[in-house]
Amino acid sequence: MTALDPNLAQRLKDVVGPKGWSEEPNDIAPHLVELRGRWLGQTPLLLKPSATLEVARILALCNETRTPIVPQGGNTGLVGGQIPTRGEVLLSLERMNRIRSVNPEENLLVAEAGVVLKHAQAAADAVQRLFPLSLGAEGSCTIGGNVSTNAGGVNVLRYGMMRDLVLGLEVVLADGRVLDLLRGLKKDNTGYDLKQLFIGAEGTLGIVTAAMLRLFPKPAGYATAVAAISNVSVAVELLNRLQHATGSQVTAFELMQRESLDLVTKHIVDTMNPLPDWRGWTVLIEVSNPAAFDATDALQEALAQAMDQGLVADAVFAKSERDRAAFWRLRETLPEAHRLDGATIANDISVPLSRIAEFLAAADAAIRAALPSARSFAFGHVGDGNLHYAIKAPGNDAALLAARAALELIVAEQTAKLNGSISAEHGLGLAKNESIARYKSAAELDLMRALKRTLDPNNILNPGKLLPPD
Amino acid sequence: MTALDPNLAQRLKDVVGPKGWSEEPNDIAPHLVELRGRWLGQTPLLLKPSATLEVARILALCNETRTPIVPQGGNTGLVGGQIPTRGEVLLSLERMNRIRSVNPEENLLVAEAGVVLKHAQAAADAVQRLFPLSLGAEGSCTIGGNVSTNAGGVNVLRYGMMRDLVLGLEVVLADGRVLDLLRGLKKDNTGYDLKQLFIGAEGTLGIVTAAMLRLFPKPAGYATAVAAISNVSVAVELLNRLQHATGSQVTAFELMQRESLDLVTKHIVDTMNPLPDWRGWTVLIEVSNPAAFDATDALQEALAQAMDQGLVADAVFAKSERDRAAFWRLRETLPEAHRLDGATIANDISVPLSRIAEFLAAADAAIRAALPSARSFAFGHVGDGNLHYAIKAPGNDAALLAARAALELIVAEQTAKLNGSISAEHGLGLAKNESIARYKSAAELDLMRALKRTLDPNNILNPGKLLPPD
């Protein structure tokens, strides 16, 4: 770890005041390791500013002194983007946790970067509105991280990614200047839409300090079902039919595999497979009913029709909020069940909707050819073409982990062949910033690097993340 | 006009072949003047490439020789962005008019830049899908222009601006390299989302040659009404109520003023005001019904309730497709009626929804103070906060035009006071690229200029447009 100049350290501490920093290893430790334990960071100083102007002064000092700095929200990222692996100063936004305003009439909410997603959801709910971003880590991930990773989750099908939910941003640039783009305007064609630069940029082009978020009418209720599908290749057709039948009210369409559900019921308490006799693929389907229109009957009818035509083998509807929670618990605990059952190599890919089945067949075959004991488990937001694709080798963890690089390469190659993405929603961070260079054109990589040089000429903002090494 | 080096001219002609260029004044003339006649361009050479690689070679040559070039689509822009006012080479994308693919299963369509918007709509319709971008110029504007200006129109409320409808782009960079971002992926978090740079950039950062567009289920039908509202300040509340009542199926919510409707019925044949006794504001409301759900009754009920509570004074429903067309004709011919009734100073602004009434009161007062004979006419997409705000001075056109700069400044200042935008959907071009400098922070302007330098270091792409002069 590079030692921090004591004079600079003191100036940084002065900016944030006594509550705003720590050098205590015990305070710092939880910020240095991420969920899966793949990267371990180190830092000479943890800064916890409480206001945008403090972030501005910190960056101005860091930029002047060429001091690298890593921003961190809820530390729930899965690709290492938030970990100071090179001994950088660590900037936690956790104290910037105010909801600055809620405006139900205009369907807008302004949250600081450190607001936990669940709290933003609750603030919307309190005024009878929905903030639709929803994902496994919502109890600890933060709005700043959601913006910086362009978070996805289970409602993308209907409401889009975080990019689609951000109407304005406040960003501190590398040199400490504050870019105030918190305009509450749905339409504004006055030049380049600068906020787009910072969404999904993983803190490499600026530090997001606040976001103006779009709110939606709160659904009046939900219709939730688990359906057994005859074959993964019918999933897209089924989704199109259900969208047609329900007036595009389907908000979630999540693929699950029998083998994964078995791991859930084995490892997670209070779980039950509602289709215990079905050996094949299932989808968790949810329709959000607007106040004006209950699509439950339409969903039931469309599923019955799909059953008659052989697309769906069986379906179970949630009869209560408790059933609904139980169905969702299966989906939400699935990654944890995989982890609890031994080593997992997780992949987060997307392919064009119509090629999902093709991907699964080709990737599975290639993986087994490379490591005969390996098994793949696909699950996730299939309505968006996004698969979480986990590789395991039951009873053979050491071999699996030894083959990590080869297996990840196989998944990446199969994805690229079908014009897919090797990171549908998790980002690049440290996990995929090298491999991405294989799949992007020289023009694209050059332009990415040029943007980085333009916005962060001294390379102080989350250096070494997202961009491939030169 | 700067003469073009004959050797360069010949090389450019060789790239596009005999059908791909013209120096004939008669061919060129229609490309040099825009609808309102505010800018007159000149060009030594009109190029009409038929393929992306031709555009690439043209830009490589222009970049090498520092030759400025102006891209043009359907020449329907209202801010002069498409006019070669400095004698630049003119690049018309009109021959790049192929629909490359239509994929109803994935709800995607790939159109080249020169495809006329109406043709893209028709290609979607032919496979029972909707491409929802819709605006007055749709019979002649093109997809490339729609992307480059981030076009809006009458369906933004439900489907968003062009930015929300673009899933992928193909762009030729200033140096002639082709950036192929035509990936059909709804989710792809592999680094900076480069396509965002070119949407709404008015051809100053690259030339868009093709776009992958999102399609939607085709509405099964429409419910269309014209409602008399008691006061412009109730418009937002009425919209929120109608959205709640119809399950957010309201696709258009267009404000019109009695004085404007009178100009329409005076100047445009076959038009009739369906609420002839109402002196105040009206809104044109349209709900798009999905196959699953007819929201007509819900809309009627909600309007009846709003009438009981005094928000709405009267309402007329379209009883046939012919009625519907007649209602829309009022709205669509409104700008033309203004033009036919003498000089108009047109403004395209947006303010936060809740401040529309405040804006109208303050702007009207300020305008009359500056020019007592002036009258203002507001109309447009009020559901998005977007007002087309026309100033006229009946019988006093010379005074109006003489006061143009002062009046435009008043509108801009009143807009800025309320945190609004001086160009909600038309862009900056040559009309507002200078004035925008007053309303953007130094940080924002610097970043815009830095992006321009990064992507177009020789300043050959539509120079002098969008960005304020240095």
Side-chain angles (χ1 to χ4, degrees), chain A residues 9-33:
Chain A
Q10 190 54 53
R11 288 169 75 193
L12 290 168
K13 291 173 191 172
D14 289 347
V15 168
V16 291
K19 285 184 187 163
W21 61 271
S22 179
E23 292 170 328
E24 275 303 313
N26 287 341
D27 292 346
I28 293 178
H31 294 273
L32 300 180
V33 61

Side-chain angles (χ1 to χ4, degrees), chain A residues 168-453:
Chain A
L169 280 186
E170 181 186 85
V171 181
V172 180
L173 297 175
D175 63 6
R177 287 191 299 174
V178 178
L179 199 59
D180 179 358
L181 306 170
L182 286 176
R183 301 192 184 98
L185 300 172
K186 302 218 165 88
K187 298 173 75 169
D188 180 19
N189 275 346
T190 55
Y192 309 142
D193 188 1
L194 299 176
K195 69 173 177 293
Q196 303 294 344
L197 284 168
F198 307 98
I199 301 171
E202 304 183 16
T204 62
L205 299 180
I207 308 287
V208 172
T209 48
M212 180 177 276
L213 305 173
R214 297 176 62 200
L215 306 181
F216 293 82
K218 210 165 124 177
Y222 302 93
T224 312
V226 173
I229 56 172
S230 58
N231 191 304
V232 74
S233 66
V234 307
V236 182
E237 192 189 335
L238 180 62
L239 175 61
N240 275 333
R241 285 177 181 216
L242 298 182
Q243 291 290 33
H244 184 78
T246 64
S248 300
Q249 306 291 338
V250 179
T251 38
F253 194 79
E254 298 282 314
L255 193 69
M256 302 184 294
Q257 199 169 347
R258 173 56 188 254
E259 294 81 351
S260 291
L261 292 176
D262 286 346
L263 295 183
V264 170
T265 51
K266 177 177 168 194
H267 290 290
I268 312 285
V269 292
D270 292 333
T271 54
M272 205 188 70
N273 183 345
L275 294 170
D277 298 330
W278 180 251
R279 311 300 313 164
W281 294 90
T282 56
V283 276
L284 172 62
I285 301 160
E286 186 160 277
V287 159
S288 298
N289 289 317
F293 170 50
D294 187 339
T296 310
D297 290 350
L299 178 64
Q300 276 171 339
E301 249 170 67
L303 278 176
Q305 208 173 58
M307 239 182 273
D308 288 346
Q309 295 166 344
L311 275 74
V312 168
D314 199 356
V316 184
F317 270 75
K319 292 188 186 61
S320 62
E321 187 51 40
R322 206 173 134 196
D323 283 357
R324 179 179 172 236
F327 287 2
W328 273 106
R329 189 163 159 76
L330 290 173
R331 167 62 188 88
E332 281 162 359
T333 58
L334 217 150
E336 193 186 340
H338 282 162
R339 276 194 299 277
L340 291 171
D341 203 70
T344 304
I345 295 176
N347 298 276
D348 163 47
I349 63 107
S350 70
V351 292
L353 283 180
S354 55
R355 310 193 77 173
I356 290 174
E358 193 181 339
F359 168 80
L360 289 175
D364 285 5
I367 285 164
R368 284 174 197 253
L371 184 69
S373 62
R375 311 281 328 264
S376 67
F377 299 75
F379 61 100
H381 325 301
V382 69
D384 316 305
N386 182 187
L387 290 176
H388 296 308
Y389 187 78
I391 308 172
K392 302 179 72 66
N396 213 356
D397 282 359
L400 180 79
L401 294 176
R404 177 190 286 277
L407 295 172
E408 286 181 344
L409 184 62
I410 287 170
V411 173
E413 292 288 335
Q414 296 295 336
T415 305
K417 256 190 209 167
L418 302 182
N419 242 323
S421 165
I422 64 166
S423 187
E425 55 178 21
H426 294 169
L428 297 175
L430 288 168
K432 296 178 182 171
N433 65 324
E434 289 194 35
S435 50
I436 197 63
R438 298 170 60 96
Y439 307 109
K440 293 206 180 266
S441 67
E444 203 171 345
L445 291 169
D446 284 355
L447 185 46
M448 283 174 59
R449 291 194 176 104
L451 289 176
K452 172 69 172 172
R453 280 193 304 271

Side-chain angles (χ1 to χ4, degrees), chain A residues 72-77 112-121 131 133-147 149 151-152 162:
Chain A
Q72 190 178 86
N75 192 15
T76 62
E112 290 184 341
V115 169
V116 170
L117 173 53
K118 222 177 176 64
H119 297 161
Q121 293 167 349
F131 179 61
L133 189 76
S134 175
L135 44 94
E138 63 195 24
S140 40
C141 68
T142 59
I143 294 298
N146 297 150
V147 171
T149 58
M162 191 62 167

Side-chain angles (χ1 to χ4, degrees), chain B residues 120-283:
Chain B
Q121 293 166 349
D125 192 73
V127 295
Q128 300 300 311
R129 292 292 185 273
L130 173 75
F131 179 60
L133 189 75
S134 174
L135 45 93
E138 63 195 24
S140 40
C141 68
T142 60
I143 294 298
N146 297 150
V147 172
S148 296
T149 58
N150 186 27
V154 293
N155 287 332
V156 173
L157 197 55
R158 166 77 167 278
Y159 300 99
M161 307 276 283
M162 191 63 168
R163 187 179 300 279
D164 303 299
L165 304 176
V166 170
L167 202 65
L169 280 185
E170 180 186 86
V171 180
V172 180
L173 298 175
D175 62 6
R177 287 191 300 174
V178 178
L179 199 60
D180 179 357
L181 307 170
L182 286 175
R183 300 192 185 98
L185 300 172
K186 302 219 164 88
K187 298 173 74 168
D188 180 17
N189 275 346
T190 55
Y192 310 140
D193 188 0
L194 299 176
K195 70 174 175 292
Q196 303 294 346
L197 284 168
F198 306 99
I199 301 172
E202 304 182 16
T204 62
L205 299 180
I207 308 287
V208 172
T209 48
M212 180 177 275
L213 305 173
R214 298 176 62 201
L215 306 182
F216 294 81
K218 210 166 125 176
Y222 302 92
T224 310
V226 173
I229 56 173
S230 59
N231 190 306
V232 74
S233 66
V234 307
V236 182
E237 192 189 334
L238 179 62
L239 175 61
N240 275 333
R241 284 176 181 217
L242 298 182
Q243 290 290 32
H244 183 78
T246 64
S248 301
Q249 308 290 338
V250 180
T251 39
F253 194 79
E254 298 282 315
L255 192 70
M256 301 183 294
Q257 199 170 348
R258 174 56 188 255
E259 294 81 351
S260 291
L261 292 176
D262 286 346
L263 296 184
V264 170
T265 50
K266 177 178 168 194
H267 290 289
I268 312 283
V269 293
D270 291 334
T271 54
M272 205 190 69
N273 183 345
L275 294 171
D277 298 329
W278 180 249
R279 310 299 315 163
W281 294 91
T282 56
V283 276

